[in-house]
Amino acid sequence: MRDFKMSVPDYMQCAEDHQTLLVVVQPVGIVSEENFFRIYKRICSVSQISVRDSQRVLYIRYRHHYPPENNEWGDFQTHRKVVGLITITDCFSAKDWPQTFEKFHVQKEIYGSTLYDSRLFVFGLQGEIVEQPRTDVAFYPNYEDCQTVEKRIEDFIESLFIVLESKRLDRATDKSGDKIPLLCVPFEKKDFVGLDTDSRHYKKRCQGRMRKHVGDLCLQAGMLQDSLVHYHMSVELLRSVNDFLWLGAALEGLCSASVIYHYPGGTGGKSGARRFQGSALPAEAANRHRPGAQEVLIDPGALTTNGINPDTSTEIGRAKNCLSPEDIIDKYKEAISYYSKYKNAGVIELEACIKAVRVLAIQKRSMEASEFLQNAVYINLRQLSEEEKIQRYSVLSELYELIGFHRKSAFFKRVAAMQCVAPSIAEPGWRACYKLLLETLPGYSLSLDPKDFSRGTHRGWAAVQMRLLHELVYASRRMGNPALSVRHLSFLLQTMLDFLSDQEKKDVTQSLENYTSKCPGTMEPIALPGGLTLPPVPFTKLPIVRHVKLLNLPASLRPHKMKSLLGQNVSTKSPFIYSPIIAHNRGEERNKKIDFQWVQGDVCEVQLMVYNPMPFELRVENMGLLTSGVEFESLPAALSLPAESGLYPVTLVGVPQTTGTITVNGYHTTVFGVFSDCLLDNLPGIKTSGSTVEVIPALPRLQISTSLPRSAHSLQPSSGDEISTNVSVQLYNGESQQLIIKLENIGMEPLEKLEVTSKVLTTKEKLYGDFLSWKLEETLAQFPLQPGKVATFTINIKVKLDFSCQENLLQDLSDDGISVSGFPLSSPFRQVVRPRVEGKPVNPPESNKAGDYSHVKVSGLGRWHLPRAVRASAKPFLKHSFESFSERKGCVYLKAGFSVVFVLGQCFGKQSQ
């Protein structure tokens, strides 16, 4: 049994299409797609022409495919009727011409019942056949040499207008005595068999349908005023006989004509406003209808000569045949309600909903438009193919976008995407699915740029966004693009981490590791075919960094500015010599500049405070520094952070290879197989004391060892600028000993100069003897000391104290709060020490044993073993920058030292121990 339904809806229909003439352009035979659409585009450029000697304009709607069954509804609505056919063919031989021309006639027969005129464009044929004049065939040597295509299309449209005008006049003229034929839609023909054709009810039905048909022809012919009159008359006639299907068509025609009147720019959203030049005749042309039309009055002043009302707000009331914008929607609702009574009119109903939505979008009545769309969703059509379903959902998505329902639009586009890969499709279109899914992102407030998620506020529904990202991952995998899958999965993990449950975090990371085992994640942008570029996704939350601090070099490697050269006074705080390098700081960098220096070739450290937000142990591989300004060798590190750990210190190291100013820009990691470059500027809530430091040229390194054993006791701690070693030696007064110091160059730079100074300090600043002496000639003969070489340096230590027991010495002893009694001062035995009440306290003495000596500890030199009685006398001989001493268990511990300074040509120095 034949199905009389209109099979394929035109989802691009709009109200102004009712005034267009439908022309189908199709290839005949084998024509390449490129050549066909090249000519098709030129043909479509001729979409409207002005009628000669008239103010009317004809509008043409071109289609390269049109179902023949839809053409059978041409009497119901004439804009659905194919009135013109243009065929394009290739023919390179005269012997092929008869067959080609026969194919043209076969093509015409498909739409033969409705065609007004047709044309055949032949490319490639030359010879006598071409020279024969023909009206329906145009010959061109090739697709480049065809300048007259547009002119021939204009002539073709004029021929269509002649036929249209003749049909309009024929149908509109009242021929007395002739019966008006009953126009029918395909499924109605069987219902009118055997009806009484002489009944008044039947005649009114015929008159109403014909009046509606003439209104369609007038609208197509550019006679807007006449069409309004005919539609109104048709509505009254059809309403009186309850001919609901055609009444709906008449109401829709009335709506279309009113929309054209109110919105000359069009409602279809097409590029460029339509120019409605002469869409109606002058006022006197309004009476071109049959005499019976006088019962519907039209104010001649209601419309201007070109059919565009300059002030609709004041003229609508006078143009009673034209609906107001509010009435247009009411009539659309009424028409759709009539269509809904007929199951075979589902396509008509659907297209009417779409036209109403486009009008409401212009009127900015979004809620009412959504009601029409909701009705369109539930209209039951025939069993649609998967391609038709995709088209339907895509158009619904576009219409929801048009009225501002972005999330609803995204929903239907996502449904269309899923329809592309339905199980019933033999070859699922994963690329089309992926493309449609990408188009849904704005509707769900989702961007694929991770920077949009670093501002702290999350927009949209996270659960829906995560579902959409999972679908993008799956679609890209089915497309055979693992790099795309890794990028989307990385984006999901980075941006949605706060919304993932513990189990989801485990599942996502496990999937990511599976993907990256085949295609590691990189920081390269991924270009998509549609022109979209996916930016890289750095894992700034795996782990999360909260604090970054550049560390100074260890004290033994730290450079110090030299404040004097050999022969000048040496600072008491730092005995090492170097010359300054003037740092040219930029004003904008002062806030980030660190006040210490790094050294070329030495290992430098940056400390990060990180924590792991994952519910499992996080393994970070290949973590290193990102720097700029200086060639830098980053030494990678590997971390294993406990589950949900607190702030955890991590030190990243590297070696600057050149000098200059280095900036620590961030760090790089490899987590779950994804390589990330994390910049400090993109980290929210990061705390840093500065990220720029100066790198000075490489300096030599010296290791010092002595012939004396290390001291069992440590002296007072040295300041941060000093490196000290404590050695011990016990000497009697007058005894001497040699201290041999080995100087080993353990760096990469030669040692060129050596400076040795000694300091023996005391708070009294009284020097009673000289302990140390040396000669540098033999040592300096070994300089410059090359890397890996060793030089020796000998220091003579001789104890020579003055125990003359002069009065001033006794006064010094008294000032120190120590009384001396009993044995002579030269006695080697320990004496009883009694502190004065008003003097400084001292530690209580230990047991009085023969041979128990007090010790004076000298840093770098050793230890002298002196009798208890002369302990106070020894103190003024030793002076130290700490300007203090301590007494422990009856012993006086004082600190003295010597300094070794080595100088390069650049005048930089380092302390060594």
Side-chain angles (χ1 to χ4, degrees):
M1 182 178 178
R2 184 180 177 186
D3 187 2
F4 293 103
K5 288 185 181 180
M6 188 183 299
S7 59
V8 180
D10 184 357
Y11 293 101
M12 303 310 296
Q13 280 269 318
C14 49
E16 54 268 25
D17 286 344
H18 282 247
Q19 69 174 352
T20 61
L21 298 175
L22 179 59
V23 176
V24 173
V25 184
Q26 291 182 337
V28 172
I30 301 176
V31 180
S32 70
E33 184 175 340
E34 179 183 358
N35 289 334
F36 171 76
F37 281 102
R38 183 193 304 180
I39 301 301
Y40 179 75
K41 184 178 180 181
R42 293 180 61 180
I43 293 173
C44 292
S45 66
V46 187
S47 60
Q48 65 185 54
I49 65 168
S50 298
V51 180
R52 294 177 184 177
D53 303 325
S54 172
Q55 297 182 5
R56 286 186 278 174
V57 178
L58 272 107
Y59 296 93
I60 312 298
R61 187 169 88 257
Y62 296 98
R63 293 289 185 268
H64 57 79
H65 175 73
Y66 194 74
E69 55 269 27
N70 284 16
N71 195 40
E72 297 181 6
W73 289 68
D75 288 339
F76 181 72
Q77 290 177 324
T78 56
H79 72 282
R80 301 182 185 278
K81 182 186 301 184
V82 179
V83 298
L85 174 66
I86 300 174
T87 54
I88 300 171
T89 187
D90 287 340
C91 184
F92 302 100
S93 174
K95 65 179 181 179
D96 297 332
W97 167 243
Q99 183 180 2
T100 301
F101 194 68
E102 179 64 26
K103 291 179 179 178
F104 170 54
H105 279 285
V106 172
Q107 197 78 2
K108 285 200 300 182
E109 291 177 359
I110 298 176
Y111 307 103
S113 61
T114 60
L115 284 181
Y116 293 173
D117 202 356
S118 59
R119 290 290 185 273
L120 172 63
F121 287 0
V122 183
F123 293 88
L125 189 62
Q126 298 179 359
E128 296 180 358
I129 300 177
V130 176
E131 297 173 358
Q132 298 176 2
R134 304 180 65 97
T135 58
D136 59 344
V137 181
F139 296 96
Y140 296 101
N142 51 61
Y143 286 93
E144 288 74 24
D145 187 10
C146 53
Q147 290 80 10
T148 62
V149 167
E150 289 81 1
K151 181 62 173 62
R152 287 185 177 273
I153 296 299
E154 291 178 3
D155 296 340
F156 172 66
I157 294 175
E158 288 185 0
S159 70
L160 296 180
F161 170 73
I162 294 172
V163 179
L164 171 66
E165 187 69 3
S166 65
K167 287 183 176 293
R168 182 189 66 81
L169 293 173
D170 181 63
R171 297 290 176 90
T173 303
D174 184 11
K175 298 177 181 179
S176 58
D178 292 344
K179 286 187 177 181
I180 300 175
L182 179 66
L183 301 177
C184 299
V185 297
F187 69 86
E188 284 183 320
K189 294 179 180 179
K190 65 180 187 324
D191 298 332
F192 293 118
V193 176
L195 286 181
D196 183 7
T197 58
D198 295 328
S199 66
R200 189 167 179 269
H201 187 278
Y202 182 83
K203 289 181 179 180
K204 275 194 173 184
R205 185 193 298 267
C206 294
Q207 289 175 358
R209 292 189 178 189
M210 183 58 69
R211 188 65 64 181
K212 186 266 172 194
H213 181 66
V214 174
D216 288 348
L217 294 176
C218 290
L219 191 59
Q220 286 182 307
M223 302 176 65
L224 180 62
Q225 296 181 24
D226 288 51
S227 67
L228 286 168
V229 172
H230 288 295
Y231 285 138
H232 272 288
M233 295 175 62
S234 174
V235 168
E236 296 301 325
L237 288 169
L238 295 172
R239 195 186 298 276
S240 65
V241 295
N242 293 332
D243 192 355
F244 295 119
L245 180 62
W246 285 77
L247 174 59
L251 289 170
E252 187 181 353
L254 187 59
C255 292
S256 298
S258 301
V259 168
I260 293 170
Y261 171 79
H262 286 291
Y263 309 105
T267 63
K270 300 173 184 177
S271 59
R274 299 178 61 173
R275 299 190 302 275
F276 284 79
Q277 301 172 350
S279 57
L281 286 174
E284 62 269 21
N287 297 321
R288 280 192 178 179
H289 48 74
R290 56 193 294 267
Q294 294 295 337
E295 58 196 50
V296 180
L297 299 178
I298 298 179
D299 186 351
L303 298 175
T304 61
T305 55
N306 63 357
I308 302 177
N309 190 349
D311 188 1
T312 59
S313 62
T314 59
E315 300 293 343
I316 287 175
R318 293 159 57 191
K320 57 183 298 185
N321 295 294
C322 183
L323 301 175
S324 67
E326 294 77 13
D327 289 339
I328 290 174
I329 304 305
D330 292 337
K331 297 303 181 184
Y332 264 125
K333 289 181 180 179
E334 185 179 355
I336 291 170
S337 68
Y338 293 145
Y339 291 151
S340 65
K341 297 177 181 294
Y342 301 87
K343 64 178 182 179
N344 292 329
V347 171
I348 305 294
E349 180 186 0
L350 175 62
E351 292 181 357
C353 290
I354 292 175
K355 296 169 192 174
V357 169
R358 297 189 189 278
V359 176
L360 286 167
I362 292 180
Q363 297 179 357
K364 301 187 183 304
R365 297 161 65 179
S366 300
M367 292 304 297
E368 292 179 70
S370 68
E371 294 177 4
F372 279 92
L373 280 178
Q374 193 69 20
N375 180 66
V377 170
Y378 293 107
I379 293 176
N380 185 22
L381 301 179
R382 64 172 177 82
Q383 188 65 33
L384 299 178
S385 66
E386 302 301 336
E387 291 77 9
E388 290 171 334
K389 291 179 182 178
I390 295 169
Q391 184 186 18
R392 182 181 186 183
Y393 294 132
S394 298
V395 171
L396 286 172
S397 170
E398 293 173 4
L399 292 173
Y400 273 113
E401 183 72 22
L402 186 64
I403 64 175
F405 282 40
H406 304 296
R407 196 169 62 217
K408 198 81 168 181
S409 170
F411 168 78
F412 279 103
K413 188 149 289 187
R414 182 165 163 262
V415 172
M418 296 298 102
Q419 202 66 47
C420 292
V421 293
S424 57
I425 298 180
E427 296 182 1
W430 287 105
R431 292 187 180 277
C433 172
Y434 180 81
K435 181 178 181 297
L436 288 172
L437 286 175
L438 285 180
E439 294 175 2
T440 66
L441 296 178
Y444 291 117
S445 303
L446 188 59
S447 164
L448 292 181
D449 190 347
K451 293 181 181 178
D452 296 337
F453 290 82
S454 60
R455 298 167 186 165
T457 56
H458 184 91
R459 297 176 61 245
W461 290 354
V464 178
Q465 292 171 344
M466 287 189 290
R467 177 67 180 271
L468 181 58
L469 289 173
H470 275 295
E471 291 169 352
L472 284 172
V473 171
Y474 187 75
S476 55
R477 183 177 73 84
R478 293 300 299 268
M479 285 167 54
N481 195 336
L484 206 53
S485 301
V486 170
R487 181 61 51 86
H488 287 310
L489 204 54
S490 301
F491 181 85
L492 189 155
L493 187 59
Q494 168 69 18
T495 60
M496 303 294 169
L497 187 64
D498 297 337
F499 304 99
L500 293 172
S501 65
D502 289 350
Q503 185 59 43
E504 288 173 333
K505 290 177 182 178
K506 295 178 181 179
D507 295 340
V508 170
T509 54
Q510 184 176 0
S511 298
L512 184 58
E513 287 181 321
N514 293 335
Y515 284 127
T516 55
S517 63
K518 302 175 183 177
C519 180
T522 66
M523 290 295 292
E524 296 295 328
I526 299 178
L528 300 178
L532 180 66
T533 300
L534 295 183
V537 182
F539 277 160
T540 58
K541 293 184 178 180
L542 299 171
I544 297 177
V545 177
R546 281 289 177 256
H547 185 76
V548 177
K549 180 181 181 181
L550 278 64
L551 302 180
N552 200 350
L553 294 172
S556 60
L557 301 177
R558 195 174 300 166
H560 297 268
K561 292 184 178 181
M562 293 188 296
K563 299 182 180 178
S564 67
L565 296 176
L566 192 62
Q568 299 178 354
N569 294 331
V570 180
S571 170
T572 59
K573 188 174 182 180
S574 175
F576 303 104
I577 302 173
Y578 58 93
S579 77
I581 286 185
I582 300 176
H584 300 280
N585 293 335
R586 296 179 181 179
E588 64 270 17
E589 295 177 349
R590 288 176 182 172
N591 294 333
K592 292 186 176 182
K593 194 69 175 290
I594 308 297
D595 58 359
F596 55 76
Q597 292 84 31
W598 284 349
V599 178
Q600 175 188 359
D602 285 353
V603 176
C604 305
E605 298 177 334
V606 176
Q607 187 181 71
L608 280 65
M609 300 300 294
V610 304
Y611 70 90
N612 172 22
M614 305 300 280
F616 49 83
E617 184 181 29
L618 179 65
R619 297 187 304 275
V620 183
E621 303 172 0
N622 193 27
M623 189 174 187
L625 295 172
L626 296 175
T627 62
S628 62
V630 167
E631 183 180 346
F632 188 82
E633 179 187 1
S634 177
L635 304 178
L639 312 178
S640 183
L641 301 176
E644 298 178 345
S645 64
L647 285 178
Y648 188 85
V650 173
T651 302
L652 301 180
V653 299
V655 180
Q657 304 295 323
T658 57
T659 62
T661 300
I662 186 172
T663 300
V664 177
N665 300 318
Y667 59 92
H668 65 81
T669 60
T670 301
V671 182
F672 305 125
V674 178
F675 182 83
S676 302
D677 287 339
C678 305
L679 301 180
L680 299 183
D681 294 340
N682 297 334
L683 299 180
I686 190 71
K687 295 181 180 179
T688 176
S689 57
S691 59
T692 301
V693 68
E694 182 184 2
V695 179
I696 62 175
L699 297 177
R701 295 176 61 185
L702 180 66
Q703 179 172 292
I704 300 177
S705 58
T706 67
S707 58
L708 294 178
R710 285 184 176 271
S711 173
H713 303 282
S714 60
L715 300 177
Q716 293 181 1
S718 62
S719 66
D721 295 336
E722 294 180 348
I723 304 298
S724 64
T725 295
N726 304 317
V727 296
S728 300
V729 63
Q730 295 183 0
L731 297 174
Y732 290 98
N733 190 23
E735 187 177 1
S736 63
Q737 183 172 336
Q738 283 189 337
L739 170 63
I740 300 176
I741 301 176
K742 294 174 63 176
L743 308 174
E744 181 179 1
N745 185 353
I746 60 173
M748 303 301 293
E749 303 292 330
L751 292 169
E752 298 179 358
K753 296 183 180 180
L754 176 68
E755 178 182 308
V756 179
T757 61
S758 67
K759 293 189 295 184
V760 181
L761 304 177
T762 178
T763 55
K764 298 299 183 180
E765 297 183 358
K766 295 178 182 180
L767 183 62
Y768 291 92
D770 191 5
F771 290 94
L772 309 176
S773 64
W774 61 81
K775 293 184 179 180
L776 285 177
E777 287 77 7
E778 295 182 0
T779 304
L780 292 177
Q782 305 174 58
F783 277 66
L785 189 63
Q786 298 300 323
K789 300 297 182 179
V790 178
T792 57
F793 173 52
T794 303
I795 295 180
N796 296 313
I797 306 173
K798 184 175 182 180
V799 181
K800 185 178 180 181
L801 299 178
D802 183 7
F803 300 131
S804 59
C805 292
Q806 296 178 2
E807 189 174 344
N808 57 351
L809 177 59
L810 296 176
Q811 182 64 39
D812 289 337
L813 298 175
S814 176
D815 291 343
D816 288 333
I818 301 175
S819 61
V820 181
S821 62
F823 296 100
L825 291 178
S826 59
S827 170
F829 297 102
R830 184 173 183 133
Q831 305 299 315
V832 178
V833 179
R834 295 187 303 275
R836 294 188 311 205
V837 176
E838 68 277 10
K840 290 185 291 185
V842 296
N843 292 331
E846 293 185 353
S847 58
N848 222 355
K849 297 181 181 179
D852 188 7
Y853 300 95
S854 113
H855 297 77
V856 179
K857 189 170 186 179
V858 182
S859 172
L861 295 179
R863 176 183 296 174
W864 284 269
H865 195 183
L866 302 178
R868 171 77 176 183
V870 298
R871 173 170 56 87
S873 300
K875 174 177 174 289
F877 287 83
L878 304 175
K879 183 178 182 182
H880 188 262
S881 58
F882 284 105
E883 299 181 354
S884 65
F885 67 95
S886 64
E887 295 181 326
R888 301 177 184 174
K889 296 183 180 181
C891 299
V892 179
Y893 288 88
L894 300 177
K895 185 177 182 181
F898 70 90
S899 302
V900 177
V901 177
F902 43 91
V903 184
L904 256 89
Q906 307 103 312
C907 296
F908 276 94
K910 283 189 178 180
Q911 300 186 64
S912 300
Q913 60 183 4

